Amino acid sequence: MTDGAELGFTFEGRNVPARPGQSIAGALHATGVRTLSRSVKYHRPRGYTCGFGACGDCPLKIDGMPATTSCTAPVRGGEQVRREQGLPAASFDLLRAADLMRPMLRAGFQFRLFARQPRLSKIAGRLLAVLAGGGRRPSAEAAQRAVVARVETAQPRLLVIGGGVSGLTAALAAADAGTEVTLVDQEMIGGRGRVRTEAVVDERGAERSPGELVDELLRAARAHARIHLLQGLALGWIDGLVPVVDERSRTRFELRPDALVLATGGYEVPLMVPGHDLPGVMLADGALRLADIELVRPGRRAVVVADARGEAVAERLRRRGVTVAAIVPSAQLRRVTGWSRATGVRTTGSPSRIRADLVCVAGPRRPAEELLLHLAYAESGSHELVRSDRPDPGARVAVVGSATGEVSYSLADVRFAALAVAEPSGVGHDGRRAASREEKTSTTSE
C-alpha cells in the first residue's frame, strides 16, 4: 500500500515524515508518539487502538478540524496536526489526578453534589466541559472547507455499502449478471479483509484467506464496466435516501437505490480488564493494519491475548519484526500493567508477569450493524432488527459477510444474496416489471 516516496506534516511544531498510504496516526506511531488523546473524565492516555475508526481513541485536530479520526485520515502532506486535550499538554496532563480520585468521582457526581444549587450546578457543568477538553470549534478555514460545495443525485440499481471481501464479491456477482452497481466505501482499500486472520469459504467450499482475495477483487471491481466505485462515508437511510459524503471533493451524493446490500463487516471488542485502554494495547486488526498496510512496526515485544486466533496473529507480527513473548488465553488475562503506556500483563498462568510494549488483543467480533439498525427503524418504525442473509427474490435489502454476525462466512451465500436483491431480470420488488432506465445524475451547488 505504500511506496518509497515521502510526505510530511507538522505535529505540534515538529516535522513528521510519512509515506503515501499511511494514516496520520500510523505515521505518528512510527515516530514514537503513543499518546494521541485523553479520556474525557479521568484524563487517562489513549493511543492507537483499532485502526479502522471504530473505537474513538485517536481524535486529533487536523488542519483546524477537531475530533478527526486519525487512524483513517490519510497523510496527504503539509497538514497541521495537534492533540486537543491535556493541561499543560496531552503528553503530560496534570488533570490525570482525577484518575486517582475516581472513587469520589462516580458517574453524575456533579449533579448530586449541586442538586439543591442549580446555579452552582450550571457553573460546575461548564467548568467540567472545559476540563474534559472536548467540543472544540473548528477554525474558520476548517469550517469553510467542511461545507459541501456540490450535491449529486443518483438512482443506482444496486447500492453496496462496504468495500471488503463480501462487498466486492456482492458487487461483482450482481454486475456480472447485468446489474449496474454503485459500491461505497470510506477508504477503498479492501476493508478489514487485508488484516483478517479468519478464513472465508469460497464457492468451491475451500477456506481462503481474505488477504489473498482482496487485491484480486479490488482489481476486478475497478475494471468492471458496470461497477461505479464511490469513496465516501454513508451516513444512513432516510426515506429511501442514502447520503454519502466525500470530504476530499466536498461532495454529498444523494443516492436512492432500488436495492441495497449491506457489507459493513464487523469489528473487534476489547477485553474489559484493568489497563485495557492504555497506549500500547491494540486490537489485532489495528496492530496488523500498522504492520501489513502501513508498514509500521506496532511494537518491539508483544503479548498476544487470544483464544482461537492467537498463533495466526502472532505469526503475522513476527513477519514484521515483532518479538512475540507469549500467547495468553483471554481467560488468563488479569490486567495490563503500566501508567502512561502498556509495559506488560499480569496473568493467572505461569509466568504471572510478562513484560511487553505491545499487548495485542484478538478479541471477539461484533457486526457493524449501525446502518442496518437505522434502516430497520426507518422502515418498520421500531427497533426490531429485520434482516435476511439469504433473502427471497424480490427483497430490497440483503446483509452479507461478517455484518451478519458470521465471522467465517461463505462467498456462495454472499453471491446468492446479492443476486436475489439485484433482480437482473428486471422484476421490481413489488412484483411489477421495472421500467428500464439509465442512471440519472444531476449536480447542484450549496
Side-chain angles (χ1 to χ4, degrees):
M1 291 296 294
T2 62
D3 56 33
E6 279 204 354
L7 300 172
F9 60 92
T10 302
F11 174 68
E12 298 180 351
R14 67 180 179 88
N15 293 326
V16 175
R19 289 187 296 269
Q22 286 184 332
S23 66
I24 294 287
L28 288 173
H29 191 89
T31 58
V33 177
R34 296 295 182 264
T35 298
L36 299 176
S37 66
R38 293 275 172 169
S39 66
V40 171
K41 187 174 182 181
Y42 297 129
H43 285 255
R44 294 169 179 158
R46 296 285 190 267
Y48 193 105
T49 304
C50 75
F52 288 90
C55 68
D57 283 349
C58 63
L60 294 173
K61 190 172 187 178
I62 301 177
D63 286 338
M65 180 59 69
T68 302
T69 302
S70 60
C71 70
T72 57
V75 178
R76 298 190 176 98
E79 293 93 340
Q80 298 289 323
V81 181
R82 300 193 63 84
R83 289 172 288 200
E84 298 183 79
Q85 299 161 310
L87 179 70
S91 56
F92 180 75
D93 188 359
L94 294 175
L95 296 175
R96 179 75 191 274
D99 199 5
L100 302 175
M101 298 186 291
R102 61 184 178 274
M104 297 178 289
L105 301 179
R106 300 292 185 183
F109 73 93
Q110 70 273 27
F111 303 113
R112 294 191 299 273
L113 185 62
F114 300 110
R116 298 182 181 180
Q117 300 289 336
R119 291 184 179 179
L120 288 178
S121 179
K122 184 178 292 187
I123 293 172
R126 291 175 178 174
L127 175 61
L128 290 172
V130 172
L131 294 179
R136 303 297 193 219
R137 292 182 179 178
S139 66
E141 295 81 5
Q144 182 60 37
R145 288 194 304 271
V147 175
V148 170
R150 62 176 183 161
V151 177
E152 293 191 10
T153 62
Q155 293 181 292
R157 191 76 185 85
L158 175 67
L159 176 62
V160 178
I161 299 179
V165 171
S166 62
L168 291 166
T169 299
L172 287 164
D176 287 343
T179 300
E180 297 293 325
V181 179
T182 296
L183 184 146
V184 173
D185 190 77
Q186 188 174 4
E187 293 190 274
M188 208 62 72
I189 62 172
R192 290 181 177 82
R194 290 194 175 276
V195 299
R196 278 171 51 103
T197 54
E198 303 96 331
V200 297
V201 180
D202 68 15
E203 295 185 38
R204 298 179 180 178
E207 290 191 347
R208 297 284 304 277
S209 166
E212 297 174 355
L213 295 170
V214 69
D215 281 327
E216 174 187 337
L217 292 170
L218 265 175
R219 283 194 299 269
R222 288 181 174 130
H224 206 295
R226 292 193 181 93
I227 297 179
H228 173 54
L229 298 179
L230 180 59
Q231 187 169 344
L233 178 64
L235 300 180
W237 175 276
I238 307 167
D239 294 332
L241 171 69
V242 180
V244 176
V245 174
D246 178 11
E247 56 91 14
R248 301 167 307 156
S249 63
R250 297 173 59 195
T251 302
R252 184 175 76 241
F253 299 90
E254 296 186 348
L255 309 179
R256 291 187 178 276
D258 289 344
L260 178 66
V261 171
L262 291 175
T264 48
Y267 47 82
E268 293 173 305
V269 178
L271 300 178
M272 295 294 142
V273 298
H276 76 276
D277 53 356
L278 284 169
V281 180
M282 297 185 197
L283 299 176
D285 285 353
L288 294 180
R289 173 173 177 143
L290 281 179
D292 292 346
I293 298 177
E294 306 201 26
L295 306 184
V296 174
R297 188 171 62 171
R300 293 183 176 85
R301 179 181 169 89
V303 171
V304 175
V305 181
D307 295 322
R309 295 189 284 148
E311 189 52 50
V313 172
E315 179 57 30
R316 296 270 288 274
L317 292 175
R318 292 187 189 107
R319 292 178 196 169
R320 297 298 179 185
V322 179
T323 299
V324 178
I327 300 175
V328 176
S330 58
Q332 292 185 10
L333 180 65
R334 288 178 52 200
R335 64 178 297 113
V336 177
T337 60
W339 173 251
S340 61
R341 64 174 65 181
T343 59
V345 298
R346 288 194 178 275
T347 76
T348 59
S350 179
S352 61
R353 170 76 184 273
I354 306 171
R355 295 187 180 277
D357 65 336
L358 170 64
V359 179
C360 182
V361 179
R365 294 188 186 274
R366 62 158 293 169
E369 57 189 4
E370 291 81 5
L371 278 175
L372 179 59
L373 289 167
H374 189 192
L375 187 152
Y377 181 82
E379 291 290 298
S380 67
S382 71
H383 288 290
E384 180 183 359
L385 183 59
V386 180
R387 62 196 298 166
S388 175
D389 306 335
R390 296 177 67 91
D392 294 329
R396 289 190 67 195
V397 179
V399 185
V400 299
S402 54
T404 66
E406 297 181 10
V407 175
S408 296
Y409 53 85
S410 165
L411 296 183
D413 287 352
V414 172
R415 288 180 59 85
F416 183 96
L419 291 172
V421 298
E423 301 169 345
S425 63
V427 178
H429 71 275
D430 57 358
R432 296 191 302 269
R433 177 69 59 176
S436 61
R437 59 174 173 75
E438 295 182 356
E439 183 177 293
K440 297 179 180 180
T441 302
S442 64
T443 303
T444 60
S445 297
E446 281 194 346

